[in-house]
């Protein structure tokens, strides 16, 4: 089973459960570790959490700034860059998509409710799998291929974020947007599997609505020679 580095956060067990259901082995990465620990892993899962320091994209902090745990910014930015350079499969969730974007030189909307007053509600906290809004999936993207026929219509998602991507980082394309235009998913078409989502697919680990995202990460992280015969056949590629 491929080893997936997973950055520590508050609701860690949901991410671990989603990953295990998809056949991955979670390797916990804590903020005191060096980014070189990634060399022992086959894939990377960036998790949710507090806000990326706006100094890292050249802005002063908005009054609502709520920092993540110490050292998480530095470590996760380094992990995102290392995964890009090594073409390591990466799924970046919520804070993770924001880290991915800042690592590529992008910027963030620091507070959606005050900076985009016409936006839909993006902070619906309880229960964690409560549907908050839909997303429109962009045609021809990896996200569309993962979601299959469901991507043809609006896809209901949960939403627990007050920040979002503003200026898109290098080599990223938008793969889903909310009805208000807020970016809800990105990917890097120049890499095998670098995908970010602004919602929380792991909150659905019991019911499986977004299991396809974790399965795609695990499949991409499995060396071709180690993939079960059936799995490689069903993908139609070696
Ligand atoms: Mn949202």
């Amino acid at each position: 089973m491929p080893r997936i580095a997973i950055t520590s956060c508050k609701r860690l067990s949901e991410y671990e459960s989603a990953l295990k259901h998809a056949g991955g082995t979670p390797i916990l990465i804590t903020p005191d570790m060096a980014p070189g620990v990634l060399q022992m892993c086959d894939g990377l899962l960036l998790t949710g959490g507090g806000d990326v320091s706006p100094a890292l994209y050249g802005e002063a902090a908005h009054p609502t700034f709520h920092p993540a745990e110490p050292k998480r910014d530095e470590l996760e930015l380094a992990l995102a860059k290392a995964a890009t350079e090594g073409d390591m499969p990466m799924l970046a969730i919520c804070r993770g998509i924001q880290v991915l974007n800042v690592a590529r030189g992008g910027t963030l909307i620091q507070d959606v409710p005050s900076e985009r007053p016409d936006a839909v509600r993006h902070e619906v906290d309880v229960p964690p799998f409560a549907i908050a809004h839909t997303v429109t999936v962009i045609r021809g993207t990896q996200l569309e291929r993962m979601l299959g026929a469901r991507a043809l219509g609006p896809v209901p998602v949960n939403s627990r974020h007050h920040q979002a991507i503003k200026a898109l980082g290098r080599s990223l394309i938008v793969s889903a947007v909310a009805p208000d235009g807020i970016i809800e998913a990105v990917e890097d078409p120049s890499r095998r599997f670098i995908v970010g989502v602004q919602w929380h697919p792991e909150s659905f680990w019991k019911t499986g609505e977004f299991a396809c995202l974790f399965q795609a990460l695990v499949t991409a992280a499995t060396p071709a020679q180690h993939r079960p015969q059936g799995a490689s056949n069903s993908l139609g590629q070696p």
Side-chain angles (χ1 to χ4, degrees), residues 2-172:
R3 296 153 60 94
I4 310 294
I6 173 170
T7 50
S8 63
C9 63
K10 289 200 177 74
R11 278 193 176 127
L12 186 64
S13 67
E14 288 196 322
Y15 297 91
E16 290 179 323
S17 298
L19 205 48
K20 286 178 190 167
H21 272 248
T25 301
I27 305 292
L28 184 62
I29 308 293
T30 56
D32 54 307
M33 290 183 181
V37 68
L38 207 54
Q39 289 166 10
M40 301 161 39
C41 302
D42 308 300
L44 172 63
L45 176 57
L46 290 180
T47 56
D51 301 337
V52 177
S53 171
L56 292 165
Y57 50 92
E59 288 189 13
H62 187 275
T64 58
F65 174 58
H66 180 76
E69 296 84 346
K71 297 184 183 174
R72 264 191 86 176
D73 282 355
E74 292 78 359
L75 174 67
E76 293 181 348
L77 283 169
L79 293 174
K81 287 173 183 169
T84 297
E85 283 161 16
D87 197 12
M88 174 180 277
M90 162 167 50
L91 177 60
I93 294 175
C94 197
R95 165 185 160 82
I97 191 177
Q98 298 166 7
V99 168
L100 168 62
N101 193 56
V102 172
R104 306 296 192 91
T107 64
L108 304 178
I109 299 171
Q110 289 201 46
D111 187 56
V112 172
S114 56
E115 294 180 42
R116 298 288 188 275
D118 295 332
V120 302
R121 206 171 146 218
H122 288 274
E123 287 181 275
V124 180
D125 292 329
V126 182
F129 45 79
I131 297 304
H133 58 76
T134 58
V135 298
T136 300
V137 178
I138 309 300
R139 297 284 166 264
T141 59
Q142 209 160 7
L143 183 66
E144 182 192 30
R145 289 195 290 281
M146 285 189 276
L147 290 171
R150 288 162 61 205
L152 293 172
V155 179
V157 298
N158 55 350
S159 191
R160 303 199 297 269
H161 59 108
H162 82 114
Q163 300 201 328
I165 289 177
K166 188 156 65 178
L168 202 57
R170 284 183 299 277
S171 304
L172 295 176

